[in-house]
PDB file of all heavy atoms in Angstrom:
ATOM      1  N   MET B 102      -9.034-262.903 -54.029  1.00 88.00           N
ATOM      2  CA  MET B 102      -8.737-264.348 -54.256  1.00 88.00           C
ATOM      3  C   MET B 102     -10.044-265.128 -54.301  1.00 88.00           C
ATOM      4  O   MET B 102     -10.194-266.030 -55.089  1.00 88.00           O
ATOM      5  CB  MET B 102      -7.863-264.889 -53.097  1.00 88.00           C
ATOM      6  CG  MET B 102      -6.443-264.353 -53.142  1.00 88.00           C
ATOM      7  SD  MET B 102      -5.423-265.122 -54.426  1.00 88.00           S
ATOM      8  CE  MET B 102      -4.965-266.671 -53.710  1.00 88.00           C
ATOM      9  N   ALA B 103     -10.993-264.758 -53.421  1.00 92.00           N
ATOM     10  CA  ALA B 103     -12.243-265.479 -53.361  1.00 92.00           C
ATOM     11  C   ALA B 103     -13.069-265.271 -54.630  1.00 92.00           C
ATOM     12  O   ALA B 103     -13.703-266.172 -55.174  1.00 92.00           O
ATOM     13  CB  ALA B 103     -13.062-265.061 -52.131  1.00 92.00           C
ATOM     14  N   GLU B 104     -13.039-264.000 -55.151  1.00 88.00           N
ATOM     15  CA  GLU B 104     -13.752-263.711 -56.401  1.00 88.00           C
ATOM     16  C   GLU B 104     -13.131-264.544 -57.547  1.00 88.00           C
ATOM     17  O   GLU B 104     -13.827-265.093 -58.389  1.00 88.00           O
ATOM     18  CB  GLU B 104     -13.636-262.219 -56.746  1.00 88.00           C
ATOM     19  CG  GLU B 104     -14.465-261.314 -55.867  1.00 88.00           C
ATOM     20  CD  GLU B 104     -15.958-261.265 -56.287  1.00 88.00           C
ATOM     21  OE1 GLU B 104     -16.285-261.861 -57.359  1.00 88.00           O
ATOM     22  OE2 GLU B 104     -16.770-260.696 -55.546  1.00 88.00           O
ATOM     23  N   THR B 105     -11.803-264.601 -57.592  1.00 84.00           N
ATOM     24  CA  THR B 105     -11.122-265.354 -58.615  1.00 84.00           C
ATOM     25  C   THR B 105     -11.492-266.813 -58.542  1.00 84.00           C
ATOM     26  O   THR B 105     -11.775-267.466 -59.520  1.00 84.00           O
ATOM     27  CB  THR B 105      -9.562-265.197 -58.459  1.00 84.00           C
ATOM     28  OG1 THR B 105      -9.275-263.798 -58.378  1.00 84.00           O
ATOM     29  CG2 THR B 105      -8.815-265.772 -59.595  1.00 84.00           C
ATOM     30  N   ARG B 106     -11.514-267.350 -57.276  1.00 90.00           N
ATOM     31  CA  ARG B 106     -11.889-268.738 -57.083  1.00 90.00           C
ATOM     32  C   ARG B 106     -13.321-268.991 -57.478  1.00 90.00           C
ATOM     33  O   ARG B 106     -13.596-269.986 -58.184  1.00 90.00           O
ATOM     34  CB  ARG B 106     -11.703-269.042 -55.565  1.00 90.00           C
ATOM     35  CG  ARG B 106     -12.222-270.370 -55.099  1.00 90.00           C
ATOM     36  CD  ARG B 106     -11.334-271.506 -55.489  1.00 90.00           C
ATOM     37  NE  ARG B 106     -11.779-272.817 -54.970  1.00 90.00           N
ATOM     38  CZ  ARG B 106     -11.158-273.940 -55.106  1.00 90.00           C
ATOM     39  NH1 ARG B 106      -9.972-273.954 -55.736  1.00 90.00           N
ATOM     40  NH2 ARG B 106     -11.640-275.056 -54.656  1.00 90.00           N
ATOM     41  N   ALA B 107     -14.214-268.062 -57.114  1.00 90.00           N
ATOM     42  CA  ALA B 107     -15.628-268.264 -57.398  1.00 90.00           C
ATOM     43  C   ALA B 107     -15.885-268.257 -58.937  1.00 90.00           C
ATOM     44  O   ALA B 107     -16.867-268.896 -59.410  1.00 90.00           O
ATOM     45  CB  ALA B 107     -16.490-267.149 -56.756  1.00 90.00           C
ATOM     46  N   ALA B 108     -15.001-267.605 -59.709  1.00 84.00           N
ATOM     47  CA  ALA B 108     -15.158-267.596 -61.159  1.00 84.00           C
ATOM     48  C   ALA B 108     -14.812-268.974 -61.748  1.00 84.00           C
ATOM     49  O   ALA B 108     -15.198-269.282 -62.851  1.00 84.00           O
ATOM     50  CB  ALA B 108     -14.259-266.487 -61.770  1.00 84.00           C
ATOM     51  N   GLN B 109     -14.038-269.755 -61.017  1.00 87.00           N
ATOM     52  CA  GLN B 109     -13.606-271.055 -61.550  1.00 87.00           C
ATOM     53  C   GLN B 109     -14.245-272.249 -60.886  1.00 87.00           C
ATOM     54  O   GLN B 109     -14.430-273.275 -61.509  1.00 87.00           O
ATOM     55  CB  GLN B 109     -12.056-271.229 -61.337  1.00 87.00           C
ATOM     56  CG  GLN B 109     -11.258-270.170 -62.051  1.00 87.00           C
ATOM     57  CD  GLN B 109      -9.919-269.961 -61.345  1.00 87.00           C
ATOM     58  OE1 GLN B 109      -9.637-270.484 -60.256  1.00 87.00           O
ATOM     59  NE2 GLN B 109      -9.055-269.138 -61.993  1.00 87.00           N
ATOM     60  N   ALA B 110     -14.631-272.127 -59.623  1.00 91.00           N
ATOM     61  CA  ALA B 110     -15.189-273.269 -58.903  1.00 91.00           C
ATOM     62  C   ALA B 110     -16.213-272.781 -57.871  1.00 91.00           C
ATOM     63  O   ALA B 110     -16.312-271.567 -57.625  1.00 91.00           O
ATOM     64  CB  ALA B 110     -14.085-274.037 -58.203  1.00 91.00           C
ATOM     65  N   ARG B 111     -16.914-273.710 -57.201  1.00 93.00           N
ATOM     66  CA  ARG B 111     -17.832-273.354 -56.187  1.00 93.00           C
ATOM     67  C   ARG B 111     -17.045-272.926 -54.910  1.00 93.00           C
ATOM     68  O   ARG B 111     -16.168-273.707 -54.489  1.00 93.00           O
ATOM     69  CB  ARG B 111     -18.720-274.544 -55.904  1.00 93.00           C
ATOM     70  CG  ARG B 111     -19.941-274.250 -55.083  1.00 93.00           C
ATOM     71  CD  ARG B 111     -20.762-275.539 -54.951  1.00 93.00           C
ATOM     72  NE  ARG B 111     -21.792-275.480 -53.960  1.00 93.00           N
ATOM     73  CZ  ARG B 111     -22.973-274.964 -54.137  1.00 93.00           C
ATOM     74  NH1 ARG B 111     -23.274-274.481 -55.315  1.00 93.00           N
ATOM     75  NH2 ARG B 111     -23.865-274.916 -53.154  1.00 93.00           N
ATOM     76  N   LEU B 112     -17.384-271.820 -54.382  1.00 94.00           N
ATOM     77  CA  LEU B 112     -16.667-271.283 -53.191  1.00 94.00           C
ATOM     78  C   LEU B 112     -17.164-272.032 -51.976  1.00 94.00           C
ATOM     79  O   LEU B 112     -18.340-272.028 -51.642  1.00 94.00           O
ATOM     80  CB  LEU B 112     -17.028-269.786 -53.091  1.00 94.00           C
ATOM     81  CG  LEU B 112     -16.088-268.916 -52.209  1.00 94.00           C
ATOM     82  CD1 LEU B 112     -14.634-269.010 -52.747  1.00 94.00           C
ATOM     83  CD2 LEU B 112     -16.554-267.485 -52.205  1.00 94.00           C
ATOM     84  N   SER B 113     -16.205-272.707 -51.247  1.00 96.00           N
ATOM     85  CA  SER B 113     -16.642-273.416 -50.035  1.00 96.00           C
ATOM     86  C   SER B 113     -16.148-272.714 -48.808  1.00 96.00           C
ATOM     87  O   SER B 113     -15.109-272.021 -48.838  1.00 96.00           O
ATOM     88  CB  SER B 113     -16.105-274.848 -50.056  1.00 96.00           C
ATOM     89  OG  SER B 113     -14.706-274.860 -49.794  1.00 96.00           O
ATOM     90  N   ALA B 114     -16.844-272.925 -47.708  1.00 96.00           N
ATOM     91  CA  ALA B 114     -16.444-272.245 -46.456  1.00 96.00           C
ATOM     92  C   ALA B 114     -15.079-272.734 -46.004  1.00 96.00           C
ATOM     93  O   ALA B 114     -14.254-271.994 -45.521  1.00 96.00           O
ATOM     94  CB  ALA B 114     -17.449-272.568 -45.354  1.00 96.00           C
ATOM     95  N   ALA B 115     -14.776-274.024 -46.259  1.00 96.00           N
ATOM     96  CA  ALA B 115     -13.464-274.577 -45.824  1.00 96.00           C
ATOM     97  C   ALA B 115     -12.322-273.912 -46.633  1.00 96.00           C
ATOM     98  O   ALA B 115     -11.287-273.523 -46.077  1.00 96.00           O
ATOM     99  CB  ALA B 115     -13.414-276.072 -46.061  1.00 96.00           C
ATOM    100  N   TRP B 116     -12.557-273.711 -47.967  1.00 96.00           N
ATOM    101  CA  TRP B 116     -11.568-273.056 -48.764  1.00 96.00           C
ATOM    102  C   TRP B 116     -11.310-271.629 -48.275  1.00 96.00           C
ATOM    103  O   TRP B 116     -10.154-271.172 -48.108  1.00 96.00           O
ATOM    104  CB  TRP B 116     -11.980-273.063 -50.252  1.00 96.00           C
ATOM    105  CG  TRP B 116     -10.958-272.482 -51.188  1.00 96.00           C
ATOM    106  CD1 TRP B 116      -9.990-273.181 -51.831  1.00 96.00           C
ATOM    107  CD2 TRP B 116     -10.729-271.123 -51.523  1.00 96.00           C
ATOM    108  NE1 TRP B 116      -9.193-272.302 -52.572  1.00 96.00           N
ATOM    109  CE2 TRP B 116      -9.632-271.064 -52.355  1.00 96.00           C
ATOM    110  CE3 TRP B 116     -11.387-269.891 -51.165  1.00 96.00           C
ATOM    111  CZ2 TRP B 116      -9.162-269.830 -52.904  1.00 96.00           C
ATOM    112  CZ3 TRP B 116     -10.915-268.716 -51.670  1.00 96.00           C
ATOM    113  CH2 TRP B 116      -9.812-268.687 -52.540  1.00 96.00           C
TER     114      TRP B 116
END
Side-chain angles (χ1 to χ4, degrees):
Chain B
M102 291 286 280
E104 288 279 353
T105 308
R106 171 77 177 183
Q109 299 154 353
R111 194 176 166 85
L112 198 58
S113 76
W116 185 92

